[in-house]
PDB file of all heavy atoms in Angstrom:
ATOM      1  N   ALA A  32     -14.261  -4.007 -10.141  1.00 98.00           N
ATOM      2  CA  ALA A  32     -13.339  -2.918  -9.823  1.00 98.00           C
ATOM      3  C   ALA A  32     -12.024  -3.444  -9.257  1.00 98.00           C
ATOM      4  O   ALA A  32     -11.982  -4.519  -8.649  1.00 98.00           O
ATOM      5  CB  ALA A  32     -13.984  -1.979  -8.802  1.00 98.00           C
ATOM      6  N   PRO A  33     -10.950  -2.678  -9.423  1.00 98.00           N
ATOM      7  CA  PRO A  33      -9.670  -3.066  -8.803  1.00 98.00           C
ATOM      8  C   PRO A  33      -9.723  -2.848  -7.296  1.00 98.00           C
ATOM      9  O   PRO A  33     -10.250  -1.838  -6.821  1.00 98.00           O
ATOM     10  CB  PRO A  33      -8.669  -2.112  -9.456  1.00 98.00           C
ATOM     11  CG  PRO A  33      -9.485  -0.913  -9.833  1.00 98.00           C
ATOM     12  CD  PRO A  33     -10.833  -1.433 -10.211  1.00 98.00           C
ATOM     13  N   MET A  34      -9.199  -3.809  -6.547  1.00 97.00           N
ATOM     14  CA  MET A  34      -9.154  -3.731  -5.080  1.00 97.00           C
ATOM     15  C   MET A  34      -7.749  -4.097  -4.635  1.00 97.00           C
ATOM     16  O   MET A  34      -7.390  -5.273  -4.571  1.00 97.00           O
ATOM     17  CB  MET A  34     -10.199  -4.662  -4.458  1.00 97.00           C
ATOM     18  CG  MET A  34     -11.636  -4.274  -4.782  1.00 97.00           C
ATOM     19  SD  MET A  34     -12.848  -5.481  -4.164  1.00 97.00           S
ATOM     20  CE  MET A  34     -12.691  -6.776  -5.437  1.00 97.00           C
ATOM     21  N   ALA A  35      -6.948  -3.078  -4.337  1.00 96.00           N
ATOM     22  CA  ALA A  35      -5.551  -3.295  -3.993  1.00 96.00           C
ATOM     23  C   ALA A  35      -5.422  -3.947  -2.622  1.00 96.00           C
ATOM     24  O   ALA A  35      -6.310  -3.846  -1.777  1.00 96.00           O
ATOM     25  CB  ALA A  35      -4.793  -1.976  -4.010  1.00 96.00           C
ATOM     26  N   GLY A  37      -4.875  -7.293  -2.100  1.00 95.00           N
ATOM     27  CA  GLY A  37      -5.180  -8.722  -2.038  1.00 95.00           C
ATOM     28  C   GLY A  37      -6.457  -9.181  -2.699  1.00 95.00           C
ATOM     29  O   GLY A  37      -6.468 -10.231  -3.367  1.00 95.00           O
ATOM     30  N   PRO A  38      -7.595  -8.491  -2.545  1.00 97.00           N
ATOM     31  CA  PRO A  38      -8.852  -9.010  -3.099  1.00 97.00           C
ATOM     32  C   PRO A  38      -8.834  -9.238  -4.610  1.00 97.00           C
ATOM     33  O   PRO A  38      -9.421 -10.205  -5.102  1.00 97.00           O
ATOM     34  CB  PRO A  38      -9.878  -7.943  -2.703  1.00 97.00           C
ATOM     35  CG  PRO A  38      -9.329  -7.369  -1.436  1.00 97.00           C
ATOM     36  CD  PRO A  38      -7.836  -7.323  -1.665  1.00 97.00           C
ATOM     37  N   SER A  39      -8.185  -8.357  -5.372  1.00 98.00           N
ATOM     38  CA  SER A  39      -8.133  -8.544  -6.825  1.00 98.00           C
ATOM     39  C   SER A  39      -7.134  -9.637  -7.172  1.00 98.00           C
ATOM     40  O   SER A  39      -5.991  -9.611  -6.711  1.00 98.00           O
ATOM     41  CB  SER A  39      -7.739  -7.232  -7.518  1.00 98.00           C
ATOM     42  OG  SER A  39      -8.764  -6.276  -7.415  1.00 98.00           O
ATOM     43  N   THR A  40      -7.566 -10.583  -7.985  1.00 98.00           N
ATOM     44  CA  THR A  40      -6.724 -11.712  -8.387  1.00 98.00           C
ATOM     45  C   THR A  40      -6.935 -12.012  -9.863  1.00 98.00           C
ATOM     46  O   THR A  40      -7.967 -11.652 -10.435  1.00 98.00           O
ATOM     47  CB  THR A  40      -7.067 -12.982  -7.598  1.00 98.00           C
ATOM     48  OG1 THR A  40      -8.419 -13.374  -7.914  1.00 98.00           O
ATOM     49  CG2 THR A  40      -6.940 -12.770  -6.092  1.00 98.00           C
ATOM     50  N   PRO A  41      -5.984 -12.702 -10.494  1.00 98.00           N
ATOM     51  CA  PRO A  41      -6.211 -13.137 -11.876  1.00 98.00           C
ATOM     52  C   PRO A  41      -7.454 -14.008 -12.008  1.00 98.00           C
ATOM     53  O   PRO A  41      -8.168 -13.923 -13.019  1.00 98.00           O
ATOM     54  CB  PRO A  41      -4.934 -13.929 -12.195  1.00 98.00           C
ATOM     55  CG  PRO A  41      -3.882 -13.282 -11.347  1.00 98.00           C
ATOM     56  CD  PRO A  41      -4.592 -12.966 -10.054  1.00 98.00           C
ATOM     57  N   LEU A  43     -10.221 -13.766 -10.332  1.00 98.00           N
ATOM     58  CA  LEU A  43     -11.386 -12.889 -10.312  1.00 98.00           C
ATOM     59  C   LEU A  43     -11.529 -12.177 -11.659  1.00 98.00           C
ATOM     60  O   LEU A  43     -12.647 -11.999 -12.162  1.00 98.00           O
ATOM     61  CB  LEU A  43     -11.251 -11.871  -9.180  1.00 98.00           C
ATOM     62  CG  LEU A  43     -12.478 -11.018  -8.845  1.00 98.00           C
ATOM     63  CD1 LEU A  43     -13.688 -11.888  -8.519  1.00 98.00           C
ATOM     64  CD2 LEU A  43     -12.175 -10.085  -7.673  1.00 98.00           C
ATOM     65  N   PHE A  55     -10.413  -6.086 -13.340  1.00 98.00           N
ATOM     66  CA  PHE A  55      -9.184  -5.314 -13.185  1.00 98.00           C
ATOM     67  C   PHE A  55      -8.243  -5.975 -12.189  1.00 98.00           C
ATOM     68  O   PHE A  55      -8.677  -6.411 -11.118  1.00 98.00           O
ATOM     69  CB  PHE A  55      -9.492  -3.900 -12.680  1.00 98.00           C
ATOM     70  CG  PHE A  55      -9.839  -2.921 -13.750  1.00 98.00           C
ATOM     71  CD1 PHE A  55     -11.106  -2.916 -14.312  1.00 98.00           C
ATOM     72  CD2 PHE A  55      -8.900  -2.008 -14.206  1.00 98.00           C
ATOM     73  CE1 PHE A  55     -11.439  -2.007 -15.305  1.00 98.00           C
ATOM     74  CE2 PHE A  55      -9.211  -1.097 -15.205  1.00 98.00           C
ATOM     75  CZ  PHE A  55     -10.491  -1.095 -15.761  1.00 98.00           C
ATOM     76  N   LEU A  56      -6.967  -6.003 -12.546  1.00 98.00           N
ATOM     77  CA  LEU A  56      -5.922  -6.286 -11.577  1.00 98.00           C
ATOM     78  C   LEU A  56      -5.589  -4.980 -10.868  1.00 98.00           C
ATOM     79  O   LEU A  56      -5.614  -3.913 -11.493  1.00 98.00           O
ATOM     80  CB  LEU A  56      -4.672  -6.827 -12.265  1.00 98.00           C
ATOM     81  CG  LEU A  56      -4.779  -8.182 -12.955  1.00 98.00           C
ATOM     82  CD1 LEU A  56      -3.475  -8.501 -13.683  1.00 98.00           C
ATOM     83  CD2 LEU A  56      -5.122  -9.282 -11.962  1.00 98.00           C
ATOM     84  N   ALA A  57      -5.280  -5.069  -9.591  1.00 98.00           N
ATOM     85  CA  ALA A  57      -4.929  -3.875  -8.812  1.00 98.00           C
ATOM     86  C   ALA A  57      -3.424  -3.804  -8.681  1.00 98.00           C
ATOM     87  O   ALA A  57      -2.815  -4.575  -7.939  1.00 98.00           O
ATOM     88  CB  ALA A  57      -5.592  -3.947  -7.438  1.00 98.00           C
ATOM     89  N   GLN A  69       1.096 -11.496 -12.289  1.00 98.00           N
ATOM     90  CA  GLN A  69      -0.365 -11.540 -12.303  1.00 98.00           C
ATOM     91  C   GLN A  69      -0.901 -11.388 -13.726  1.00 98.00           C
ATOM     92  O   GLN A  69      -1.860 -12.078 -14.111  1.00 98.00           O
ATOM     93  CB  GLN A  69      -0.934 -10.460 -11.392  1.00 98.00           C
ATOM     94  CG  GLN A  69      -0.736 -10.739  -9.912  1.00 98.00           C
ATOM     95  CD  GLN A  69      -1.691  -9.951  -9.035  1.00 98.00           C
ATOM     96  OE1 GLN A  69      -2.634  -9.318  -9.504  1.00 98.00           O
ATOM     97  NE2 GLN A  69      -1.448  -9.990  -7.736  1.00 98.00           N
ATOM     98  N   GLY A 271      -9.152 -12.618  -3.479  1.00 98.00           N
ATOM     99  CA  GLY A 271      -8.051 -12.905  -2.559  1.00 98.00           C
ATOM    100  C   GLY A 271      -8.222 -12.229  -1.215  1.00 98.00           C
ATOM    101  O   GLY A 271      -7.234 -12.034  -0.498  1.00 98.00           O
TER     102      GLY A 271
END
Side-chain angles (χ1 to χ4, degrees):
M34 296 175 282
S39 291
T40 64
L43 190 56
F55 275 78
L56 295 175
Q69 289 200 10

